[in-house]
Amino acid sequence: MKVVRAEIIAIGDELLYGQIVDTNSHWISQELDLMGVKVVRKTTVGDDRKDILAAFSAAESRADLILITGGLGPTRDDLTKPLLAEYFSCPIVEVPEAVKAVSDFFLRRGREMTPLNVLQGHLPACCTYVPNEVGTAPGMWFERNDTYWMSMPGVPHEMKKLMKDFVLPQLPKIFPLPVIFHRVIKTVGIGESWLADLIADWENALPQNIRLAYLPSLGHVKLRLTGFGTSKSELEKAIEEQISLVLPKIEKYVYGYDSETLETAIAKLLKDQKKTIALAESCSGGYISHLITSVAGSSTYFQGAIVPYHNQFKTELLGVKEETLALHGAVSEETVREMAAGVKDKFNADFGLSSSGIAGPDGGSDEKPVGTVWIACAYGDQIETKKLQLTQDRALNIQLTGVAVLNLLRICISNK
């Protein structure tokens, strides 16, 4: 079966200047991969006629599918539409259906349409007009010499709508695509190299049509299993068999699968066991509370939180002993133990969680350098603690503390 090759072209000076991050190409690549389309190149080009035309020509020489984002606004610096017309040697003409769609868009929002906005309904005569239901810049579909092109707005939600409604459904009609099935195992609390060593024998014995990819992120490692074949049901069965073989080796690190997050996994555990939690966050400054409450329905298990940045409030609000702070300091196992127990009791929760550390970039010492963090989880008559030695980066330390606290909670819930 012929490999379908795709190229993504992102247009706009703002992408090259770093003013906007190109999340579009990342998302498109993921969607194409799920369908068995191979992305061979991602190109970012500024608002320059010569560079854009060169990018078009190079892409056509190596790709079966070319997806373009950006440069479709109504102003003079938006060059994609006129340059596509130039590249395909066709005039730009008024498309009444497209003009009406733009007019209706402004009418629904109670806004007046300008002459520039009207021009967004003028398109290259050689393209197929693709309505944009959530914006004013239409999609444009071109076909030439067995190569297919789609030009879309750079606004992410508009691009995604056009991809989902038009482009992705088109691909199986045009190309013979393989059957591909992905399954992702989510792990936390173990580094990529340690995980790779742990499952090396299993990885080496994988069938030829199943591939493994390690996808590390902040505090997590995802294991993506991808099966290639002709039957989705057979691939699903084969991958599930492989998961059952590897799970005994890594089960204590696995918190979920596919789109599940650590927060949603914990939500399920708490709901299933009808348990509640409360937080005392010092160095994490409310970040863990944000993670917890990002899950819909978190009010059923989240009692509340205290962010006692100053030692006075660790004592007054949580009952941390003054002598504990005097002897051991705010960043210590003794302090986070008392914080976790105090917040658990104050909110009448089943689990009390705490964090205290030196996020940086200042405040460290030889004994407690920047990145030193203590966390704790109190439940029943037990308190589990853990010391973290993190980085010199404040934002990174806060995020890593959040992952570590949630993982400690996950472990404690499972042990209860």
Side-chain angles (χ1 to χ4, degrees), residues 246-268:
V246 75
L247 206 54
K249 300 175 181 288
I250 61 172
E251 193 163 14
K252 67 179 181 178
Y253 304 110
V254 174
Y255 65 83
Y257 298 88
D258 300 324
S259 61
E260 192 169 12
T261 65
L262 187 53
E263 300 93 83
T264 58
I266 285 170
K268 186 177 186 304

Side-chain angles (χ1 to χ4, degrees), residues 7 9 11 43 45 49-63 66-70 79-88 144 147 149 151:
E7 179 155 344
I9 302 175
I11 296 175
T43 301
V45 60
R49 174 185 174 276
K50 182 179 178 182
D51 291 342
I52 292 172
L53 290 174
F56 289 168
S57 179
E60 189 173 23
S61 71
R62 60 188 166 227
I66 300 164
L67 300 174
I68 305 165
T69 64
L79 301 177
T80 302
K81 182 167 59 178
L83 290 182
L84 281 168
E86 179 180 342
Y87 188 78
F88 284 98
R144 185 169 76 179
T147 300
W149 303 62
S151 176

Side-chain angles (χ1 to χ4, degrees), residues 64-332:
D64 307 298
L65 174 68
I66 300 164
L67 300 174
I68 305 165
T69 64
L72 294 183
T75 55
R76 290 186 178 182
D77 61 328
D78 291 299
L79 301 177
T80 302
K81 182 167 59 178
L83 290 182
L84 281 168
E86 179 180 342
Y87 188 78
F88 284 98
S89 302
C90 64
I92 291 179
V93 298
E94 179 180 337
V95 179
E97 184 183 358
V99 174
K100 184 178 185 305
V102 176
S103 175
D104 290 346
F105 181 89
F106 279 92
L107 186 63
R108 288 194 300 271
R109 285 155 180 77
R111 294 163 55 193
E112 184 178 349
M113 188 167 70
T114 70
L116 276 178
N117 296 129
V118 173
L119 292 178
Q120 290 191 292
H122 292 220
L123 306 174
C126 51
C127 82
T128 298
Y129 159 60
V130 183
N132 177 1
E133 297 178 0
V134 292
T136 59
M140 295 177 287
W141 178 261
F142 300 83
E143 300 178 17
R144 185 169 76 179
N145 299 329
D146 295 323
T147 300
Y148 300 83
W149 303 62
M150 179 65 175
S151 176
M152 299 170 286
V155 180
H157 77 272
E158 295 183 31
M159 176 277 297
K160 290 178 182 179
K161 178 72 172 170
L162 288 168
M163 282 291 295
K164 291 176 180 177
D165 289 355
F166 181 82
V167 178
L168 297 178
Q170 284 286 103
L171 300 185
K173 301 174 186 177
I174 299 170
F175 303 110
L177 299 176
V179 175
I180 295 180
F181 180 71
H182 294 280
R183 194 87 159 95
V184 178
I185 307 171
K186 302 282 192 72
T187 71
V188 65
I190 184 171
E192 181 183 7
S193 58
W194 288 92
L195 186 58
D197 287 342
L198 196 59
I199 63 175
D201 291 343
W202 168 80
E203 181 180 357
N204 292 334
L206 284 172
Q208 286 189 339
N209 69 323
I210 297 179
R211 298 177 188 170
L212 175 68
Y214 293 85
L215 307 174
S217 58
L218 200 63
H220 307 261
V221 180
K222 294 181 285 188
L223 300 174
R224 188 187 66 200
L225 286 162
T226 302
F228 301 84
T230 57
S231 168
K232 184 179 179 182
S233 60
E234 289 179 5
L235 289 176
E236 289 178 1
K237 182 180 178 182
I239 286 180
E240 290 303 321
E241 287 176 355
Q242 291 303 317
I243 291 175
S244 68
L245 290 175
V246 75
L247 206 54
K249 300 175 181 288
I250 61 172
E251 193 163 14
K252 67 179 181 178
Y253 304 110
V254 174
Y255 65 83
Y257 298 88
D258 300 324
S259 61
E260 192 169 12
T261 65
L262 187 53
E263 300 93 83
T264 58
I266 285 170
K268 186 177 186 304
L269 287 171
L270 289 167
K271 287 180 178 179
D272 287 348
Q273 296 189 21
K274 294 181 171 55
K275 301 299 182 183
T276 58
I277 61 171
L279 302 174
E281 299 189 60
S282 186
C283 67
S284 49
Y287 175 70
I288 306 167
S289 300
H290 158 71
L291 294 176
I292 292 290
T293 56
S294 68
V295 180
S298 55
S299 60
T300 60
Y301 53 83
F302 181 59
Q303 302 288 73
I306 294 174
V307 183
Y309 238 55
H310 292 282
N311 287 350
Q312 172 188 349
F313 301 105
K314 291 181 176 70
T315 299
E316 292 182 2
L317 299 178
L318 297 173
V320 176
K321 299 182 184 69
E322 292 183 359
E323 55 264 36
T324 299
L325 293 167
L327 286 171
H328 305 286
V331 182
S332 65

